[in-house]
């Protein structure tokens, strides 16, 4: 069976996020005050063959550990449907 | 009131996605066959002050048009809670 998976990869809390900081500093100049806690991560979509949803989730989690994320500084969330 | 917003920014269909292609080519070497349609986008989280959820959504959509996305080649999806 074929499954669609979404992965969200974010820097862990406490890890500096220069992209987010840059956006946060740029927004007031465009007239957007009061925007805080900007964090930028990755959103990955993919399609994979697997026996069932559980198998698909397990495989995508492994892909995150080995390739899609850096588990030292990033956390990830997998959803399969 | 303070709202948390999530934005997903993806390249539009038909726009080449070198990051996704690189991941797709790397996965078989790690033992993951049958993975296709890999697309990589941005996941942005932020917190903002707004009168209500509708106002917050409207403002984040404007931020996407003006800063967070490139509407020529990217589509975006805003969710506020």
């Amino acid at each position: 069976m074929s499954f669609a998976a979404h992965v969200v990869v974010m820097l862990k809390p406490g890890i500096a996020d220069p992209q987010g900081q840059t956006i946060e500093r740029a927004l007031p100049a465009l007239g957007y005050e009061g925007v805080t806690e900007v964090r930028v991560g990755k959103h990955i979509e993919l399609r994979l063959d697997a026996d069932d949803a559980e198998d698909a989730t397990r495989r995508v989690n492994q892909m995150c550990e080995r390739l899609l994320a850096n588990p030292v500084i990033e956390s990830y969330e997998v959803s399969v449907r």
Side-chain angles (χ1 to χ4, degrees), chain A:
Chain A
M1 281 176 68
S2 173
F3 292 88
H6 288 206
V7 182
V8 175
V9 181
M10 301 297 291
L11 289 164
K12 288 183 179 172
I15 306 285
D17 180 350
Q19 263 194 97
Q21 288 163 5
T22 302
I23 291 171
E24 201 166 316
R25 277 199 302 266
L27 284 169
L30 294 171
Y32 302 102
E33 306 284 346
V35 181
T36 56
E37 298 176 34
V38 182
R39 305 284 285 175
V40 180
K42 278 181 289 186
H43 179 99
I44 304 168
E45 300 185 349
L46 55 87
R47 182 161 282 284
L48 79 162
D49 296 327
D51 295 336
D52 51 36
E54 200 185 319
D55 180 40
T57 304
R58 191 182 50 77
R59 292 182 66 211
V60 177
N61 272 290
Q62 281 180 5
M63 292 176 207
C64 288
E65 285 290 327
R66 297 183 60 191
L67 179 69
L68 304 179
N70 177 347
V72 179
I73 56 167
E74 293 173 325
S75 60
Y76 55 86
E77 221 178 283
V78 173
S79 62
V80 165
R81 59 186 162 76

